[in-house]
Amino acid sequence: GVVAGVPLAVTAFRQLDPHVEIRIDARDGTPVKKGDVVLHLSGAARGLLSAERVALNFAQRLSGVASLTAQYVKAVAGTSAKILDTRKTTPGWRMLEKYAVTCGGGTNHRATLADAVLIKDNHLTACGGDVGVAVQRAREYAPKGMLVQVECDTVAQVRAALAAGTEALLLDNMPNHALRECVELARGKAWTEASGGVSLDTVRGIAETGVDRISIGALTHSAPSLDLALDFE
């Protein structure tokens, strides 16, 4: 896997025992294999055991996110596609999980609704299904210069979004042949992002269509924790 959350684990131990001695053998972003040591701790047993579960909760969870991200990044190596996270994060943990994504080599998407406008299917329905109207209203209300991105399910929606002057497209659950067509339509006009139904088995093929970005909610909502343990010597 890939380690993330080491500073949080260190803080947990020092909160319970300010005198604990800590040697960091694997910093955040470091690849590890079974049997590797991440931290070596020396201190009173009471403090170490009291902090153990909190430290492991942080390190296991965040290392799991970093490890899964690294697998996706490796799967698209050699293409131009970047691996992005989403806002599908654990409540209260968003910044931590997005940080873990970067430890795994991924790229952070918007962190809040205020970072960019993303016009999704419900927004389009609220605007009568008219992509042009949705983009126009978004530009009227959003701060000047803010990115406006449109989620598209069909090639026809992509054409409409480009005609409306949007600078970013979210291509949702499209087959690869449609992705390729949309990439060609958007070339020089807007950057493209593929999303929906992405797995380690499919991500390489999606990347090879030429999309600029691939966003994957599973990086943060479905990453298995990395198996880490605290063992006394």
Side-chain angles (χ1 to χ4, degrees), residues 88-111:
K88 297 175 182 177
T89 53
T90 307
W93 280 60
R94 176 166 296 168
M95 299 314 296
L96 296 178
E97 290 176 347
K98 282 182 169 286
Y99 163 72
V101 167
T102 66
C103 290
T107 301
N108 292 150
H109 208 323
R110 60 181 188 162

Side-chain angles (χ1 to χ4, degrees), residues 29-110:
T30 303
V32 292
K33 61 184 184 300
K34 185 175 180 178
D36 283 353
V37 174
V38 176
L39 295 176
H40 187 278
L41 308 157
S42 180
R46 180 174 182 173
L48 295 177
L49 294 175
S50 297
E52 174 185 7
R53 179 41 51 195
V54 174
L56 286 175
N57 283 346
F58 279 122
Q60 288 179 316
R61 170 66 184 153
L62 297 180
S63 294
V65 172
S67 299
L68 183 59
T69 302
Q71 291 182 59
Y72 276 98
V73 170
K74 182 179 179 180
V76 303
T79 72
S80 60
K82 293 182 178 180
I83 298 297
L84 272 63
D85 54 24
T86 70
R87 291 190 306 114
K88 297 175 182 177
T89 53
T90 307
W93 280 60
R94 176 166 296 168
M95 299 314 296
L96 296 178
E97 290 176 347
K98 282 182 169 286
Y99 163 72
V101 167
T102 66
C103 290
T107 301
N108 292 150
H109 208 323
R110 60 181 188 162

